[in-house]
Amino acid sequence: MSLDVFMKNNKNLVDQKLQEYLPNKSEYPTAIHEAMHYSVFAGGKRLRPLLTLAAGDLFGANKKTILPFACAIELIHTYSLIHDDLPALDNDDLRRGKSTNHVVFGEDIAILAGDALLNYAFELMTSKGVENFTDARTPLWAISEVAKASGTKGMIGGQVVDIKSEKNADIDLETVSYIHKHKTGALFTASIRIGAILSQASQADLEKLTTYAQKLGLAFQVVDDILDIEGDEQKLGKTVGKDDDNEKATYPKIMGLKESHEYASRLHHEALTAISDYGEEANILRELANKIVNREK
Amino acid sequence: MSLDVFMKNNKNLVDQKLQEYLPNKSEYPTAIHEAMHYSVFAGGKRLRPLLTLAAGDLFGANKKTILPFACAIELIHTYSLIHDDLPALDNDDLRRGKSTNHVVFGEDIAILAGDALLNYAFELMTSKGVENFTDARTPLWAISEVAKASGTKGMIGGQVVDIKSEKNADIDLETVSYIHKHKTGALFTASIRIGAILSQASQADLEKLTTYAQKLGLAFQVVDDILDIEGDEQKLGKTVGKDDDNEKATYPKIMGLKESHEYASRLHHEALTAISDYGEEANILRELANKIVNREK
């Protein structure tokens, strides 16, 4: 299967399942359900769920067992964007070319919609996520991985250091690296790890996929920083140069633009090396890595 | 055992376990861990964990198996208070006589500290919570109950309707009842239900405890509304009459003060009736109900 077909089919499947799993927009109280739907269906590429499904495919998993988790990861990603965009945090009015949640629904509902998506991710995993497992320890392990990746030693930790590093002219590479490994990298890595865990992959396979995920997650973020400088406003659907205005820590700012490109290439190569033992069955993961590193938005 | 001894011993145990379970304040990034500790140890009565432990005791549960869940419920309760107090929601500067989280740590960290406590509740339940169970389906059921109770069909749903009903002079009893059954009642009920579920209580026992919990949760809130009018500012540690200033929906406003007292009494009686089949072993639950209804703050 070509990557394009894989992405198209699985993105459609994820979109369809997200519609199915989420409480209907018309359910009382409608304000919160409308706000949740608005951001979940605001044009996300579903990259994290696609990675979960690709990792599952590598080990021959039944998609039905993986989908609630793949969707839960997307809900957590979406909640983090809603809260990141709030006036008290990044104060962004625009995301993927659309008004952010608090602009449309108000700050109060946006805060609660973020809370609700985080909460619902766990509701989904602990209900629909366990139906297809005879031993409940497997889904529990996956849920625990997701919780750790989203917490203060993962994504939230990255958000906190990011906030605390703003307006700090002396920010060093170690701090930038911490921010990215945690803010983006942790959930990125968990997306891939749970695909392997839920497929009962061996410890050796899990380690390979973890290295692939960590390298790719970091590459994703380095490219994001580069695109923020080089990108075209229209393609990205957000204000280009915003990171710099905010005095956010970025790789190009610390190590230079040329060196950032080289770093992204090295990480890309290391991600591919980590899964080089696999044959054709890992081609989707390889092509996903290529696409992520070579993307233009 | 007297209720006082039960409450003192178990509150100490919960406080000690919360210290043990939470990431240390000095762990990087410290800002978020300090903010989490600040609100978790801001003088909460630990009512919900005490209810979980009391329900567990009724069915002879091992406390060790219950404590991670009892503490997780308290973390979720705490997160909901932090977010409720935010300027975009209730805009409260004072809670239990202390400055609220965002006053001390800033809105950005307060939002993330709330997120982190919600997230950590699930991390705790899916890690420490499952260690003592041979069949992981039991803790998974309890986690799923907690997630449902905290979500948009539970606590968050109540918060949303509460927000949307402010400044609405025509609010009816049905709406007030919805708000309280969801905003406070859902997590209150889950606290008691998971104590029974984790103790492998029978379906009949679970139903009795559920009725007890629902009646008591509602009584708790009716009394809260009454105290807001009658209470003494110092005793409550918050601004008395604040609900009225905010034009919040309360029972006394809809049904009158005398009728609210009668309603609380009736709910109290119904809570006790629901557990009347039990002998002395349910005395702690009975005395807890008496204490909750007759409290002065």
Side-chain angles (χ1 to χ4, degrees):
Chain A
M1 195 194 298
S2 76
L3 181 67
D4 284 348
V5 174
F6 171 86
M7 289 183 74
K8 185 166 171 288
N9 289 352
N10 285 287
K11 184 181 176 300
N12 285 343
L13 191 58
V14 168
D15 284 343
Q16 183 194 316
K17 284 286 165 184
L18 283 168
Q19 280 285 2
E20 181 191 317
Y21 294 146
L22 278 176
N24 200 290
K25 265 198 291 192
S26 62
E27 281 182 70
Y28 188 79
T30 52
I32 190 80
H33 296 130
E34 280 169 11
M36 291 163 80
H37 276 257
Y38 177 82
S39 288
V40 170
F41 297 102
K45 295 186 290 289
R46 313 304 186 205
L47 178 59
R48 290 157 191 78
L50 288 178
L51 288 166
T52 308
L53 291 167
D57 282 353
L58 177 60
F59 303 111
N62 182 343
K63 259 193 220 309
K64 225 168 68 176
T65 65
I66 308 276
L67 276 163
F69 295 86
C71 290
I73 292 263
E74 186 70 8
L75 298 181
I76 291 176
H77 174 58
T78 306
Y79 119 76
S80 78
L81 299 182
I82 295 176
H83 281 190
D84 253 351
D85 287 338
L86 286 167
L89 285 103
D90 282 357
N91 193 21
D92 265 315
D93 290 347
L94 210 59
R95 157 89 55 192
R96 293 169 189 150
K98 290 183 74 171
S99 294
T100 46
N101 200 289
H102 64 272
V103 170
V104 179
F105 298 95
E107 264 183 80
D108 48 2
I109 294 296
I111 291 168
L112 294 174
D115 295 346
L117 287 169
L118 172 60
N119 195 86
Y120 195 72
F122 287 101
E123 185 174 340
L124 178 59
M125 289 187 284
T126 53
S127 55
K128 297 259 186 296
V130 303
E131 284 168 2
N132 301 295
F133 289 91
T134 45
D135 184 354
R137 280 178 192 268
T138 304
L140 257 171
W141 180 13
I143 301 168
S144 170
E145 290 263 335
V146 173
K148 284 195 183 89
S150 319
T152 62
K153 310 288 178 75
M155 186 176 71
I156 293 174
Q159 289 172 297
V160 169
V161 178
D162 196 15
I163 288 169
K164 293 293 179 190
S165 305
E166 275 178 44
K167 315 282 178 201
N168 176 2
D170 298 329
I171 189 165
D172 56 12
L173 184 59
E174 198 185 351
T175 307
V176 179
S177 174
Y178 177 94
I179 292 169
H180 289 336
K181 276 181 186 161
H182 290 78
K183 189 171 172 175
T184 329
L187 195 62
F188 207 94
T189 301
S191 307
I192 293 164
R193 277 178 61 86
I194 63 166
I197 289 168
L198 294 166
S199 315
Q200 323 266 5
S202 71
Q203 188 58 37
D205 283 326
L206 185 56
E207 280 166 24
K208 285 173 195 165
L209 274 268
T210 303
T211 305
Y212 163 86
Q214 287 168 341
K215 301 295 182 184
L216 187 59
L218 202 46
F220 175 84
Q221 192 58 51
V222 176
V223 171
D224 210 60
D225 284 359
I226 293 170
L227 285 173
D228 189 70
I229 291 178
E230 295 183 345
D232 170 81
E233 184 152 345
Q234 205 180 351
K235 273 187 193 157
L236 280 160
K238 65 179 180 184
T239 320
V240 172
K242 181 134 184 57
D243 287 353
D244 203 46
D245 295 345
N246 265 358
E247 302 188 26
K248 286 241 174 191
T250 70
Y251 282 99
K253 202 189 288 177
I254 304 286
M255 55 164 56
L257 192 57
K258 181 165 163 283
E259 290 76 6
S260 298
H261 274 288
E262 286 165 6
Y263 187 39
S265 287
R266 195 168 80 236
L267 290 165
H268 179 201
H269 178 72
E270 288 171 350
L272 295 179
T273 303
I275 54 168
S276 61
D277 286 351
Y278 302 110
E280 276 185 14
E281 69 276 16
N283 277 353
I284 291 292
L285 286 176
R286 291 186 187 104
E287 289 175 42
L288 269 169
N290 302 342
K291 191 167 182 90
I292 284 167
V293 175
N294 299 318
R295 77 191 190 279
E296 287 177 9
K297 61 174 185 177
Chain B
M1 193 195 298
S2 77
L3 182 67
D4 283 349
V5 174
F6 171 86
M7 287 183 76
K8 185 166 172 286
N9 290 353
N10 284 289
K11 183 181 176 302
N12 284 343
L13 191 58
V14 168
D15 285 343
Q16 183 193 316
K17 284 289 166 183
L18 283 167
Q19 280 285 2
E20 182 190 318
Y21 294 144
L22 278 175
N24 199 292
K25 264 198 290 194
S26 61
E27 280 181 71
Y28 188 79
T30 54
I32 189 82
H33 296 131
E34 281 169 9
M36 290 163 81
H37 275 258
Y38 176 82
S39 288
V40 170
F41 297 102
K45 297 186 289 288
R46 313 304 187 204
L47 177 59
R48 289 157 192 79
L50 289 177
L51 288 166
T52 308
L53 291 166
D57 282 354
L58 177 60
F59 303 109
N62 182 344
K63 260 195 218 310
K64 226 169 67 176
T65 64
I66 308 278
L67 275 163
F69 294 86
C71 289
I73 292 264
E74 186 70 9
L75 299 181
I76 291 176
H77 174 58
T78 307
Y79 119 75
S80 77
L81 299 181
I82 295 176
H83 281 190
D84 253 351
D85 288 337
L86 286 168
L89 285 102
D90 282 357
N91 194 22
D92 265 313
D93 290 346
L94 210 59
R95 157 87 57 191
R96 294 168 187 150
K98 291 183 74 172
S99 294
T100 46
N101 200 289
H102 63 271
V103 170
V104 180
F105 298 95
E107 265 183 78
D108 47 2
I109 294 295
I111 291 167
L112 293 174
D115 295 345
L117 288 170
L118 172 60
N119 195 86
Y120 195 71
F122 288 100
E123 184 173 340
L124 178 58
M125 290 187 283
T126 53
S127 55
K128 297 260 187 295
V130 302
E131 284 168 1
N132 302 295
F133 289 91
T134 45
D135 183 354
R137 280 179 193 267
T138 303
L140 256 171
W141 180 13
I143 301 168
S144 170
E145 289 263 335
V146 173
K148 284 195 184 89
S150 320
T152 61
K153 310 287 178 76
M155 186 175 71
I156 293 174
Q159 290 172 296
V160 170
V161 178
D162 195 15
I163 287 169
K164 292 292 178 191
S165 305
E166 275 178 44
K167 315 280 178 202
N168 176 2
D170 297 328
I171 188 165
D172 57 11
L173 184 59
E174 197 185 351
T175 307
V176 178
S177 175
Y178 177 93
I179 292 169
H180 289 333
K181 277 180 186 161
H182 290 77
K183 188 171 172 176
T184 330
L187 196 61
F188 208 94
T189 302
S191 307
I192 294 164
R193 277 178 62 86
I194 63 166
I197 289 167
L198 294 166
S199 315
Q200 324 265 5
S202 71
Q203 188 58 35
D205 284 326
L206 185 56
E207 279 166 23
K208 285 173 194 164
L209 274 269
T210 304
T211 305
Y212 164 85
Q214 287 168 341
K215 302 295 182 184
L216 187 59
L218 202 46
F220 175 85
Q221 193 57 52
V222 176
V223 171
D224 210 61
D225 283 359
I226 293 170
L227 286 173
D228 188 71
I229 291 177
E230 295 183 345
D232 170 83
E233 185 152 347
Q234 205 179 352
K235 274 188 192 157
L236 280 160
K238 65 179 179 183
T239 320
V240 171
K242 181 134 183 58
D243 287 353
D244 203 45
D245 294 346
N246 265 0
E247 302 187 26
K248 286 243 175 191
T250 70
Y251 282 99
K253 202 188 291 178
I254 303 285
M255 55 164 56
L257 192 56
K258 182 166 162 284
E259 290 76 8
S260 298
H261 273 289
E262 286 165 6
Y263 187 40
S265 287
R266 194 167 80 236
L267 290 165
H268 179 202
H269 178 72
E270 288 170 349
L272 295 179
T273 303
I275 55 168
S276 61
D277 286 350
Y278 302 109
E280 277 185 12
E281 70 276 16
N283 277 354
I284 291 292
L285 286 177
R286 292 187 186 103
E287 290 176 40
L288 268 169
N290 302 342
K291 193 168 181 90
I292 283 167
V293 175
N294 300 318
R295 77 191 191 279
E296 288 176 9
K297 62 174 182 176

